[in-house]
Amino acid sequence: MKYSGWPEPGELVVGDVDEIADFGVFVDLDEYEEKRGLCHISEVASGWIKNVRDHVREGQTVVAKVLEVDESSNQIDLSIKDVNEHQRKDKIQAWKNSQKADNWMLIALGEDVDDDRYTAVANALLAEYDSLYDAFEAAAISGAEALDGVDVDDDARESIVEAARDNVSVPYVDVTGYVDLESAAPDGVDDVKAALEAAEGNGEVPDGVDLEVGYVGSPEYRIKVRAPDYKTAEDQLEAAAARAREAIEAAGGAGEFHRERREDDE
């Protein structure tokens, strides 16, 4: 997705060197539609420059700082020398992440998605997240919960989560489910406590998986799982709920697993 407007002075931009002249370098801005900037020879590198081509080449991807923008003359003045190596690496990574996110959007919405729908979904995601990449990463980690505050329809929400979990590499994923545990026995409180301990694993939770069981509001209890990948997280969530249900039913009580809360969080 390219921006239709203009960059701001002080902004770092990514572009491709399009033309090299004796007085400077013309750069096509990759993040903006039909925008081209000029980096004067004095802003290409520090010190005296004998030949601009000793510092840049045509087709090279560069990171530049926007010095001035004159919309009336369609001119953007750039500086390559004012960008340090740390800034360059961070900007290039953010740009690459943006390209990945654009691809994930097309996977989620379809290659033939029209511009209006793409823009509407993208803006809804950006209203809640700093970037589309952050939105997809959150969806890969936390599933549909990550999009609870995003104003998109159910089809888009489901497609985004599916695309995120199929394509986004994350260090871990979080999943959450709920289990209702009830016992009418005189010592029913102890039966529920034993069922919750069973849910926590009793040593059955594999290394690399964090599992937490918490009270929501009787008879509802929350199970949270953090794991290296989505399948492991889902498997461990379902296994924890099954252990709790089996334990409470063995004591004469009743248990039920569900994915969504049945009452508002207090």
Side-chain angles (χ1 to χ4, degrees):
M1 182 177 68
K2 290 191 175 185
Y3 300 115
S4 59
W6 294 79
E8 296 288 336
E11 181 180 342
L12 297 183
V13 292
V14 177
D16 298 322
V17 175
D18 175 60
E19 181 183 348
I20 298 176
D22 291 339
F23 57 84
V25 177
F26 290 96
V27 179
D28 284 335
L29 304 188
D30 292 336
E31 299 161 291
Y32 289 86
E33 292 180 348
E34 301 179 355
K35 295 296 185 294
R36 192 187 198 209
L38 171 64
C39 181
H40 188 267
I41 186 172
S42 63
E43 295 294 339
V44 171
S46 299
W48 181 72
I49 297 177
K50 180 178 180 181
N51 189 338
V52 181
R53 294 181 184 274
D54 291 337
H55 300 274
V56 292
R57 66 183 185 279
E58 291 178 351
Q60 179 181 350
T61 298
V62 297
V63 177
K65 181 179 180 179
V66 178
L67 299 179
E68 292 185 25
V69 175
D70 187 342
E71 297 183 27
S72 63
S73 61
N74 199 35
Q75 183 162 331
I76 302 170
D77 293 332
L78 304 172
S79 173
I80 295 175
K81 75 175 185 180
D82 282 355
V83 180
N84 63 42
E85 185 62 17
H86 177 72
Q87 291 172 319
R88 189 192 70 80
K89 287 183 177 179
D90 283 352
K91 180 60 182 180
I92 288 291
Q93 187 59 59
W95 174 63
K96 289 180 177 179
N97 287 348
S98 178
Q99 291 182 309
K100 289 179 182 178
D102 283 343
N103 184 50
W104 297 335
M105 284 284 285
L106 295 178
I107 292 173
L109 303 178
E111 293 282 349
D112 59 348
V113 62
D114 62 69
D115 291 344
D116 288 344
R117 176 159 174 75
Y118 184 104
T119 300
V121 174
N123 286 341
L125 292 171
L126 292 172
E128 296 294 327
Y129 291 94
D130 291 336
S131 69
L132 295 180
Y133 184 91
D134 289 344
F136 273 87
E137 186 175 59
I141 293 171
S142 302
E145 292 180 6
L147 305 181
D148 282 348
V150 177
D151 185 19
V152 293
D153 57 68
D154 290 342
D155 287 343
R157 181 176 287 103
E158 292 173 7
S159 297
I160 289 169
V161 171
E162 182 179 357
R165 284 180 163 164
D166 287 345
N167 295 280
V168 182
S169 297
V170 294
Y172 61 86
V173 296
D174 289 330
V175 296
T176 302
Y178 301 85
V179 62
D180 294 347
L181 302 173
E182 298 181 273
S183 175
D187 54 354
V189 172
D190 291 335
D191 294 339
V192 170
K193 182 178 179 181
L196 294 175
E197 290 175 352
E200 291 174 343
N202 295 325
E204 297 180 35
V205 178
D207 292 339
V209 174
D210 293 328
L211 191 152
E212 177 185 333
V213 180
Y215 176 75
V216 175
S218 183
E220 192 174 32
Y221 300 84
R222 180 189 294 109
I223 303 173
K224 290 184 176 181
V225 178
R226 172 171 288 187
D229 58 82
Y230 178 67
K231 183 179 186 306
T232 299
E234 285 290 329
D235 288 347
Q236 291 302 313
L237 174 61
E238 293 176 4
R243 290 192 296 267
R245 191 173 60 248
E246 290 168 3
I248 197 71
E249 290 176 354
E256 182 184 358
F257 174 61
H258 50 98
R259 294 307 302 261
E260 304 294 333
R261 276 224 55 192
R262 289 182 172 164
E263 297 179 11
D264 293 334
D265 285 321
E266 296 179 357

